[in-house]
Amino acid sequence: MEFRHLGRSGLIVSEISYGNWITHGSQVEEESAFACVRAALDAGITTFDTADAYAGTRAEEVLGRALQNERRSGIELFTKVFWPTGPGRNDRGLSRKHIMESIDGSLRRLGTDYVDLYQAHRYDHSTPIEETMEAFADVVRAGKALYVGVSEWTATELRQAHQLARELRIPLISNQPQYSMLWRVIEAEVVPASEELGVGQIVWSPMAQGVLTGKYQPGHPPPAGSRATDEKSGAHFIAKWLSDDVLTRVQQLKPLAEQAGLSMAQLAIAWVLQNPNVSSAIIGASRPEQVHDNIKASGVRLDADLLKAIDDIIEPVVERDPARTESPAQRP
């Protein structure tokens, strides 16, 4: 496993991190979740990402139990706040009330005194950004989070938050966007702004919800038991990639992966890690062997000819529109 600084901060993270968006607490049993976390730790992954809303707060609980015997200073633990965690009107968003209550709930479920990174899971258009950042500052000063970050914020929103963070003297160091060979909406605006501000990307879905593994075949129904057949596993997120045009082009990547000595999953993860603004790529797993395969992408360098060959194949189906950065339908 190789490691990178998160943005221009001093925090060092594993360049492949482990996330439990649709697995822990919903898709897989706790024993399997524990086995996947153990596989990640054994492979050298030190960075773990979750959120209070995943599986209705259960994902934090499972991850906390899976990590309870680990040396706390030896791992980087990330969580998020924004999506609803209860039925009340204030059980959502980035108000001071929700943030202050949510951090305490997350720490309790994770079984820790602090998280290394506390992230705004989306931008809250109903709460003044000043209120949000002041609440984050109080969380940091209380020692409940060491750094703060955001997820799926636009370049303009990032700049506003970063300016406020500087005034409040707290470290805003990261953004967590969707990013893959197929979904490149951050490249035009978010990445340049982040490079300027010293913000690093912690990217989710580098395999495009599994489509870039090549297991979905054009002209055929999704394999039984795959994510595309399971609503609990986010089937609606995959739907946009299941056209025959996309799947045909993905199949054409297989010879490139073979020539590089990589599995399709490894190629997809290695591809996002070629972007110097990417600090870490989040993987998820329902089986330990998936972790074992994915981590082999760490340290892989793809040459310019291979990157061009990939672009030549998939460019017609790549999404690049910066306006898609903050799609309300996305929920990692």
Side-chain angles (χ1 to χ4, degrees), residues 5-66:
H5 283 273
L6 185 45
R8 283 203 296 268
S9 77
L11 182 65
I12 297 172
V13 297
S14 52
E15 67 175 10
I16 295 177
S17 46
Y18 183 89
N20 70 348
W21 167 29
I22 56 173
T23 50
H24 297 184
S26 57
Q27 185 186 29
V28 301
E29 298 299 323
E30 189 156 316
E31 183 177 349
S32 297
F34 282 15
C36 290
V37 170
R38 185 72 259 166
L41 290 163
D42 290 346
I45 289 175
T46 61
T47 306
F48 294 85
D49 179 81
T50 187
D52 57 5
Y54 293 169
T57 74
R58 294 186 301 277
E60 284 185 327
E61 295 175 356
V62 174
L63 185 61
R65 288 192 291 270

Side-chain angles (χ1 to χ4, degrees), residues 214-224 226 228-229 242-244 247-248 251:
K215 66 183 176 183
Y216 299 101
Q217 300 286 330
H220 296 274
S226 66
T229 64
L242 296 182
S243 71
D244 282 352
L247 297 181
T248 297
Q251 292 300 313

Side-chain angles (χ1 to χ4, degrees), residues 127-149:
T127 299
I129 191 172
E130 293 83 2
E131 177 179 339
T132 294
M133 297 307 297
E134 287 168 2
F136 273 169
D138 286 343
V139 167
V140 170
R141 293 190 182 114
K144 297 178 181 181
L146 304 184
Y147 302 85
V148 295

Side-chain angles (χ1 to χ4, degrees), residues 18-27 48-63 78-85 106 109-110 119-122 151-152 176 202-205 232 237 282-283 330-332:
Y18 183 89
N20 70 348
W21 167 29
I22 56 173
T23 50
H24 297 184
S26 57
Q27 185 186 29
F48 294 85
D49 179 81
T50 187
D52 57 5
Y54 293 169
T57 74
R58 294 186 301 277
E60 284 185 327
E61 295 175 356
V62 174
L63 185 61
F78 302 168
T79 194
K80 312 182 196 74
V81 57
F82 172 80
W83 295 107
T85 52
S106 289
R109 288 186 291 269
L110 288 165
Q119 303 160 95
H121 210 157
R122 287 297 183 275
S151 177
E152 293 291 351
Q176 188 173 132
I202 309 162
V203 303
W204 60 275
S205 200
K232 290 191 302 181
F237 292 101
I282 300 172
I283 63 167
Q330 298 172 350
R331 186 174 176 174

Side-chain angles (χ1 to χ4, degrees), residues 30 48 107 172 174 300 312:
E30 189 156 316
F48 294 85
L107 295 180
L172 191 156
S174 66
V300 170
D312 288 344

